[in-house]
PDB file of all heavy atoms in Angstrom:
ATOM      1  N   TYR A   5      -2.775  -3.494-151.856  1.00 98.00           N
ATOM      2  CA  TYR A   5      -2.947  -2.096-152.044  1.00 98.00           C
ATOM      3  C   TYR A   5      -4.099  -1.833-153.033  1.00 98.00           C
ATOM      4  O   TYR A   5      -4.144  -2.399-154.117  1.00 98.00           O
ATOM      5  CB  TYR A   5      -1.657  -1.449-152.559  1.00 98.00           C
ATOM      6  CG  TYR A   5      -0.616  -1.295-151.491  1.00 98.00           C
ATOM      7  CD1 TYR A   5       0.017  -2.408-150.939  1.00 98.00           C
ATOM      8  CD2 TYR A   5      -0.291  -0.010-150.990  1.00 98.00           C
ATOM      9  CE1 TYR A   5       0.971  -2.270-149.956  1.00 98.00           C
ATOM     10  CE2 TYR A   5       0.639   0.088-149.967  1.00 98.00           C
ATOM     11  CZ  TYR A   5       1.271  -0.996-149.476  1.00 98.00           C
ATOM     12  OH  TYR A   5       2.247  -0.863-148.493  1.00 98.00           O
ATOM     13  N   TYR A   6      -5.008  -0.941-152.635  1.00 98.00           N
ATOM     14  CA  TYR A   6      -6.163  -0.638-153.452  1.00 98.00           C
ATOM     15  C   TYR A   6      -6.111   0.890-153.797  1.00 98.00           C
ATOM     16  O   TYR A   6      -6.035   1.667-152.878  1.00 98.00           O
ATOM     17  CB  TYR A   6      -7.461  -0.909-152.727  1.00 98.00           C
ATOM     18  CG  TYR A   6      -7.656  -2.389-152.322  1.00 98.00           C
ATOM     19  CD1 TYR A   6      -7.152  -2.878-151.160  1.00 98.00           C
ATOM     20  CD2 TYR A   6      -8.362  -3.232-153.191  1.00 98.00           C
ATOM     21  CE1 TYR A   6      -7.379  -4.200-150.791  1.00 98.00           C
ATOM     22  CE2 TYR A   6      -8.575  -4.559-152.860  1.00 98.00           C
ATOM     23  CZ  TYR A   6      -8.060  -5.041-151.661  1.00 98.00           C
ATOM     24  OH  TYR A   6      -8.292  -6.361-151.298  1.00 98.00           O
ATOM     25  N   CYS A   7      -6.227   1.212-155.048  1.00 98.00           N
ATOM     26  CA  CYS A   7      -6.412   2.576-155.417  1.00 98.00           C
ATOM     27  C   CYS A   7      -7.893   2.939-155.364  1.00 98.00           C
ATOM     28  O   CYS A   7      -8.758   2.044-155.481  1.00 98.00           O
ATOM     29  CB  CYS A   7      -5.791   2.876-156.775  1.00 98.00           C
ATOM     30  SG  CYS A   7      -6.625   2.118-158.187  1.00 98.00           S
ATOM     31  N   TYR A   8      -8.147   4.187-155.218  1.00 97.00           N
ATOM     32  CA  TYR A   8      -9.509   4.643-155.297  1.00 97.00           C
ATOM     33  C   TYR A   8      -9.557   6.012-155.924  1.00 97.00           C
ATOM     34  O   TYR A   8      -8.508   6.743-155.972  1.00 97.00           O
ATOM     35  CB  TYR A   8     -10.174   4.703-153.908  1.00 97.00           C
ATOM     36  CG  TYR A   8      -9.816   5.896-153.078  1.00 97.00           C
ATOM     37  CD1 TYR A   8     -10.560   7.084-153.135  1.00 97.00           C
ATOM     38  CD2 TYR A   8      -8.702   5.883-152.244  1.00 97.00           C
ATOM     39  CE1 TYR A   8     -10.205   8.167-152.317  1.00 97.00           C
ATOM     40  CE2 TYR A   8      -8.351   6.929-151.460  1.00 97.00           C
ATOM     41  CZ  TYR A   8      -9.080   8.101-151.521  1.00 97.00           C
ATOM     42  OH  TYR A   8      -8.741   9.174-150.775  1.00 97.00           O
ATOM     43  N   ALA A   9     -10.701   6.388-156.427  1.00 96.00           N
ATOM     44  CA  ALA A   9     -10.872   7.685-157.034  1.00 96.00           C
ATOM     45  C   ALA A   9     -12.307   8.089-156.837  1.00 96.00           C
ATOM     46  O   ALA A   9     -13.220   7.274-157.004  1.00 96.00           O
ATOM     47  CB  ALA A   9     -10.482   7.732-158.500  1.00 96.00           C
ATOM     48  N   THR A  10     -12.552   9.372-156.552  1.00 96.00           N
ATOM     49  CA  THR A  10     -13.853   9.899-156.473  1.00 96.00           C
ATOM     50  C   THR A  10     -14.145  10.587-157.823  1.00 96.00           C
ATOM     51  O   THR A  10     -13.480  11.546-158.219  1.00 96.00           O
ATOM     52  CB  THR A  10     -13.954  10.923-155.322  1.00 96.00           C
ATOM     53  OG1 THR A  10     -13.628  10.259-154.107  1.00 96.00           O
ATOM     54  CG2 THR A  10     -15.395  11.444-155.192  1.00 96.00           C
ATOM     55  N   VAL A  11     -15.159  10.031-158.526  1.00 93.00           N
ATOM     56  CA  VAL A  11     -15.344  10.295-159.936  1.00 93.00           C
ATOM     57  C   VAL A  11     -16.746  10.690-160.244  1.00 93.00           C
ATOM     58  O   VAL A  11     -17.702  10.174-159.666  1.00 93.00           O
ATOM     59  CB  VAL A  11     -14.985   9.015-160.775  1.00 93.00           C
ATOM     60  CG1 VAL A  11     -15.201   9.249-162.263  1.00 93.00           C
ATOM     61  CG2 VAL A  11     -13.543   8.597-160.522  1.00 93.00           C
ATOM     62  N   ARG A  12     -16.894  11.637-161.179  1.00 91.00           N
ATOM     63  CA  ARG A  12     -18.144  11.897-161.849  1.00 91.00           C
ATOM     64  C   ARG A  12     -18.044  11.311-163.234  1.00 91.00           C
ATOM     65  O   ARG A  12     -17.175  11.675-164.022  1.00 91.00           O
ATOM     66  CB  ARG A  12     -18.449  13.386-161.939  1.00 91.00           C
ATOM     67  CG  ARG A  12     -18.604  14.099-160.588  1.00 91.00           C
ATOM     68  CD  ARG A  12     -18.881  15.585-160.783  1.00 91.00           C
ATOM     69  NE  ARG A  12     -20.243  15.863-161.290  1.00 91.00           N
ATOM     70  CZ  ARG A  12     -20.702  17.043-161.558  1.00 91.00           C
ATOM     71  NH1 ARG A  12     -19.927  18.147-161.383  1.00 91.00           N
ATOM     72  NH2 ARG A  12     -21.937  17.188-161.986  1.00 91.00           N
ATOM     73  N   SER A  13     -18.984  10.422-163.558  1.00 87.00           N
ATOM     74  CA  SER A  13     -18.996   9.866-164.901  1.00 87.00           C
ATOM     75  C   SER A  13     -19.616  10.778-165.935  1.00 87.00           C
ATOM     76  O   SER A  13     -19.369  10.580-167.130  1.00 87.00           O
ATOM     77  CB  SER A  13     -19.717   8.495-164.905  1.00 87.00           C
ATOM     78  OG  SER A  13     -21.050   8.632-164.386  1.00 87.00           O
ATOM     79  N   SER A  14     -20.371  11.724-165.514  1.00 89.00           N
ATOM     80  CA  SER A  14     -20.888  12.749-166.388  1.00 89.00           C
ATOM     81  C   SER A  14     -21.299  13.946-165.549  1.00 89.00           C
ATOM     82  O   SER A  14     -21.342  13.863-164.288  1.00 89.00           O
ATOM     83  CB  SER A  14     -22.107  12.282-167.155  1.00 89.00           C
ATOM     84  OG  SER A  14     -23.263  12.246-166.383  1.00 89.00           O
ATOM     85  N   SER A  15     -21.580  15.064-166.196  1.00 90.00           N
ATOM     86  CA  SER A  15     -21.973  16.261-165.444  1.00 90.00           C
ATOM     87  C   SER A  15     -23.344  16.156-164.846  1.00 90.00           C
ATOM     88  O   SER A  15     -23.732  17.013-164.050  1.00 90.00           O
ATOM     89  CB  SER A  15     -21.935  17.461-166.429  1.00 90.00           C
ATOM     90  OG  SER A  15     -22.884  17.267-167.487  1.00 90.00           O
ATOM     91  N   LEU A  16     -24.039  15.099-165.175  1.00 91.00           N
ATOM     92  CA  LEU A  16     -25.411  14.886-164.630  1.00 91.00           C
ATOM     93  C   LEU A  16     -25.377  14.012-163.394  1.00 91.00           C
ATOM     94  O   LEU A  16     -26.477  13.761-162.819  1.00 91.00           O
ATOM     95  CB  LEU A  16     -26.319  14.267-165.746  1.00 91.00           C
ATOM     96  CG  LEU A  16     -26.454  15.041-167.024  1.00 91.00           C
ATOM     97  CD1 LEU A  16     -27.329  14.283-167.995  1.00 91.00           C
ATOM     98  CD2 LEU A  16     -26.994  16.452-166.708  1.00 91.00           C
ATOM     99  N   GLN A  17     -24.242  13.498-162.991  1.00 91.00           N
ATOM    100  CA  GLN A  17     -24.154  12.562-161.888  1.00 91.00           C
ATOM    101  C   GLN A  17     -23.292  13.126-160.779  1.00 91.00           C
ATOM    102  O   GLN A  17     -22.361  13.903-161.042  1.00 91.00           O
ATOM    103  CB  GLN A  17     -23.652  11.202-162.319  1.00 91.00           C
ATOM    104  CG  GLN A  17     -24.574  10.491-163.321  1.00 91.00           C
ATOM    105  CD  GLN A  17     -24.022   9.134-163.695  1.00 91.00           C
ATOM    106  OE1 GLN A  17     -22.803   8.956-163.913  1.00 91.00           O
ATOM    107  NE2 GLN A  17     -24.931   8.121-163.743  1.00 91.00           N
ATOM    108  N   PRO A  18     -23.512  12.723-159.556  1.00 92.00           N
ATOM    109  CA  PRO A  18     -22.681  13.150-158.442  1.00 92.00           C
ATOM    110  C   PRO A  18     -21.338  12.360-158.450  1.00 92.00           C
ATOM    111  O   PRO A  18     -21.195  11.382-159.114  1.00 92.00           O
ATOM    112  CB  PRO A  18     -23.536  12.836-157.214  1.00 92.00           C
ATOM    113  CG  PRO A  18     -24.302  11.621-157.623  1.00 92.00           C
ATOM    114  CD  PRO A  18     -24.629  11.822-159.085  1.00 92.00           C
ATOM    115  N   TYR A  19     -20.458  12.845-157.583  1.00 93.00           N
ATOM    116  CA  TYR A  19     -19.225  12.122-157.392  1.00 93.00           C
ATOM    117  C   TYR A  19     -19.517  10.777-156.662  1.00 93.00           C
ATOM    118  O   TYR A  19     -20.283  10.756-155.711  1.00 93.00           O
ATOM    119  CB  TYR A  19     -18.250  12.934-156.585  1.00 93.00           C
ATOM    120  CG  TYR A  19     -17.547  14.023-157.381  1.00 93.00           C
ATOM    121  CD1 TYR A  19     -17.951  15.346-157.304  1.00 93.00           C
ATOM    122  CD2 TYR A  19     -16.465  13.673-158.212  1.00 93.00           C
ATOM    123  CE1 TYR A  19     -17.281  16.296-158.023  1.00 93.00           C
ATOM    124  CE2 TYR A  19     -15.828  14.643-158.950  1.00 93.00           C
ATOM    125  CZ  TYR A  19     -16.230  15.970-158.847  1.00 93.00           C
ATOM    126  OH  TYR A  19     -15.542  16.930-159.572  1.00 93.00           O
ATOM    127  N   ARG A  20     -18.854   9.738-157.078  1.00 94.00           N
ATOM    128  CA  ARG A  20     -18.881   8.480-156.437  1.00 94.00           C
ATOM    129  C   ARG A  20     -17.480   7.935-156.342  1.00 94.00           C
ATOM    130  O   ARG A  20     -16.607   8.263-157.140  1.00 94.00           O
ATOM    131  CB  ARG A  20     -19.774   7.473-157.204  1.00 94.00           C
ATOM    132  CG  ARG A  20     -21.256   7.816-157.247  1.00 94.00           C
ATOM    133  CD  ARG A  20     -22.045   6.787-157.981  1.00 94.00           C
ATOM    134  NE  ARG A  20     -23.447   7.078-158.018  1.00 94.00           N
ATOM    135  CZ  ARG A  20     -24.365   6.335-158.606  1.00 94.00           C
ATOM    136  NH1 ARG A  20     -24.010   5.192-159.213  1.00 94.00           N
ATOM    137  NH2 ARG A  20     -25.639   6.700-158.592  1.00 94.00           N
ATOM    138  N   THR A  21     -17.274   7.089-155.319  1.00 95.00           N
ATOM    139  CA  THR A  21     -15.974   6.509-155.087  1.00 95.00           C
ATOM    140  C   THR A  21     -15.876   5.122-155.764  1.00 95.00           C
ATOM    141  O   THR A  21     -16.758   4.289-155.579  1.00 95.00           O
ATOM    142  CB  THR A  21     -15.651   6.383-153.622  1.00 95.00           C
ATOM    143  OG1 THR A  21     -15.670   7.677-153.012  1.00 95.00           O
ATOM    144  CG2 THR A  21     -14.281   5.746-153.391  1.00 95.00           C
ATOM    145  N   TYR A  22     -14.815   4.936-156.533  1.00 95.00           N
ATOM    146  CA  TYR A  22     -14.553   3.682-157.207  1.00 95.00           C
ATOM    147  C   TYR A  22     -13.204   3.092-156.753  1.00 95.00           C
ATOM    148  O   TYR A  22     -12.329   3.846-156.311  1.00 95.00           O
ATOM    149  CB  TYR A  22     -14.553   3.855-158.707  1.00 95.00           C
ATOM    150  CG  TYR A  22     -15.862   4.273-159.279  1.00 95.00           C
ATOM    151  CD1 TYR A  22     -16.239   5.631-159.331  1.00 95.00           C
ATOM    152  CD2 TYR A  22     -16.812   3.370-159.683  1.00 95.00           C
ATOM    153  CE1 TYR A  22     -17.475   6.020-159.813  1.00 95.00           C
ATOM    154  CE2 TYR A  22     -18.052   3.725-160.204  1.00 95.00           C
ATOM    155  CZ  TYR A  22     -18.375   5.085-160.245  1.00 95.00           C
ATOM    156  OH  TYR A  22     -19.594   5.463-160.733  1.00 95.00           O
ATOM    157  N   TRP A  23     -13.085   1.816-156.872  1.00 96.00           N
ATOM    158  CA  TRP A  23     -11.947   1.108-156.333  1.00 96.00           C
ATOM    159  C   TRP A  23     -11.262   0.276-157.405  1.00 96.00           C
ATOM    160  O   TRP A  23     -11.934  -0.303-158.285  1.00 96.00           O
ATOM    161  CB  TRP A  23     -12.340   0.170-155.180  1.00 96.00           C
ATOM    162  CG  TRP A  23     -12.852   0.894-153.986  1.00 96.00           C
ATOM    163  CD1 TRP A  23     -14.103   1.307-153.759  1.00 96.00           C
ATOM    164  CD2 TRP A  23     -12.094   1.246-152.844  1.00 96.00           C
ATOM    165  NE1 TRP A  23     -14.214   1.955-152.575  1.00 96.00           N
ATOM    166  CE2 TRP A  23     -12.972   1.919-151.962  1.00 96.00           C
ATOM    167  CE3 TRP A  23     -10.791   1.052-152.482  1.00 96.00           C
ATOM    168  CZ2 TRP A  23     -12.578   2.406-150.724  1.00 96.00           C
ATOM    169  CZ3 TRP A  23     -10.365   1.589-151.248  1.00 96.00           C
ATOM    170  CH2 TRP A  23     -11.245   2.225-150.404  1.00 96.00           C
ATOM    171  N   GLY A  24      -9.938   0.187-157.329  1.00 97.00           N
ATOM    172  CA  GLY A  24      -9.219  -0.719-158.117  1.00 97.00           C
ATOM    173  C   GLY A  24      -9.332  -2.153-157.615  1.00 97.00           C
ATOM    174  O   GLY A  24      -9.923  -2.405-156.521  1.00 97.00           O
ATOM    175  N   GLN A  25      -8.807  -3.075-158.381  1.00 97.00           N
ATOM    176  CA  GLN A  25      -8.977  -4.524-158.024  1.00 97.00           C
ATOM    177  C   GLN A  25      -8.061  -4.982-156.888  1.00 97.00           C
ATOM    178  O   GLN A  25      -8.240  -6.058-156.336  1.00 97.00           O
ATOM    179  CB  GLN A  25      -8.759  -5.385-159.251  1.00 97.00           C
ATOM    180  CG  GLN A  25      -7.303  -5.600-159.667  1.00 97.00           C
ATOM    181  CD  GLN A  25      -6.684  -4.489-160.436  1.00 97.00           C
ATOM    182  OE1 GLN A  25      -7.216  -3.379-160.574  1.00 97.00           O
ATOM    183  NE2 GLN A  25      -5.504  -4.776-161.053  1.00 97.00           N
ATOM    184  N   GLY A  26      -7.087  -4.198-156.534  1.00 97.00           N
ATOM    185  CA  GLY A  26      -6.101  -4.514-155.575  1.00 97.00           C
ATOM    186  C   GLY A  26      -4.887  -5.214-156.138  1.00 97.00           C
ATOM    187  O   GLY A  26      -4.969  -6.009-157.082  1.00 97.00           O
ATOM    188  N   THR A  27      -3.754  -4.939-155.588  1.00 97.00           N
ATOM    189  CA  THR A  27      -2.506  -5.588-156.020  1.00 97.00           C
ATOM    190  C   THR A  27      -1.676  -5.868-154.769  1.00 97.00           C
ATOM    191  O   THR A  27      -1.540  -5.074-153.857  1.00 97.00           O
ATOM    192  CB  THR A  27      -1.696  -4.680-156.990  1.00 97.00           C
ATOM    193  OG1 THR A  27      -0.567  -5.382-157.501  1.00 97.00           O
ATOM    194  CG2 THR A  27      -1.246  -3.373-156.363  1.00 97.00           C
ATOM    195  N   GLN A  28      -1.093  -7.086-154.760  1.00 98.00           N
ATOM    196  CA  GLN A  28      -0.321  -7.535-153.629  1.00 98.00           C
ATOM    197  C   GLN A  28       1.069  -6.983-153.635  1.00 98.00           C
ATOM    198  O   GLN A  28       1.784  -7.029-154.658  1.00 98.00           O
ATOM    199  CB  GLN A  28      -0.239  -9.084-153.584  1.00 98.00           C
ATOM    200  CG  GLN A  28       0.617  -9.642-152.515  1.00 98.00           C
ATOM    201  CD  GLN A  28      -0.040  -9.519-151.115  1.00 98.00           C
ATOM    202  OE1 GLN A  28      -1.235  -9.788-150.956  1.00 98.00           O
ATOM    203  NE2 GLN A  28       0.755  -9.042-150.129  1.00 98.00           N
ATOM    204  N   VAL A  29       1.497  -6.395-152.509  1.00 98.00           N
ATOM    205  CA  VAL A  29       2.850  -5.969-152.334  1.00 98.00           C
ATOM    206  C   VAL A  29       3.421  -6.762-151.149  1.00 98.00           C
ATOM    207  O   VAL A  29       2.851  -6.733-150.019  1.00 98.00           O
ATOM    208  CB  VAL A  29       2.936  -4.462-152.013  1.00 98.00           C
ATOM    209  CG1 VAL A  29       4.346  -4.086-151.640  1.00 98.00           C
ATOM    210  CG2 VAL A  29       2.436  -3.658-153.208  1.00 98.00           C
ATOM    211  N   THR A  30       4.478  -7.472-151.383  1.00 98.00           N
ATOM    212  CA  THR A  30       5.119  -8.295-150.360  1.00 98.00           C
ATOM    213  C   THR A  30       6.558  -7.815-150.214  1.00 98.00           C
ATOM    214  O   THR A  30       7.334  -7.825-151.178  1.00 98.00           O
ATOM    215  CB  THR A  30       5.044  -9.783-150.726  1.00 98.00           C
ATOM    216  OG1 THR A  30       3.715 -10.185-150.909  1.00 98.00           O
ATOM    217  CG2 THR A  30       5.707 -10.630-149.580  1.00 98.00           C
ATOM    218  N   VAL A  31       6.919  -7.462-148.976  1.00 98.00           N
ATOM    219  CA  VAL A  31       8.240  -7.010-148.641  1.00 98.00           C
ATOM    220  C   VAL A  31       8.895  -8.046-147.768  1.00 98.00           C
ATOM    221  O   VAL A  31       8.429  -8.272-146.644  1.00 98.00           O
ATOM    222  CB  VAL A  31       8.226  -5.636-147.983  1.00 98.00           C
ATOM    223  CG1 VAL A  31       9.661  -5.093-147.763  1.00 98.00           C
ATOM    224  CG2 VAL A  31       7.450  -4.621-148.849  1.00 98.00           C
TER     225      VAL A  31
END
């Protein structure tokens, strides 16, 4: 499972998508 977020790092930059490192879920 990977989380993501669309983020502006400052008011001078556009939104960009960033990703988490991933975590294993086993059922």
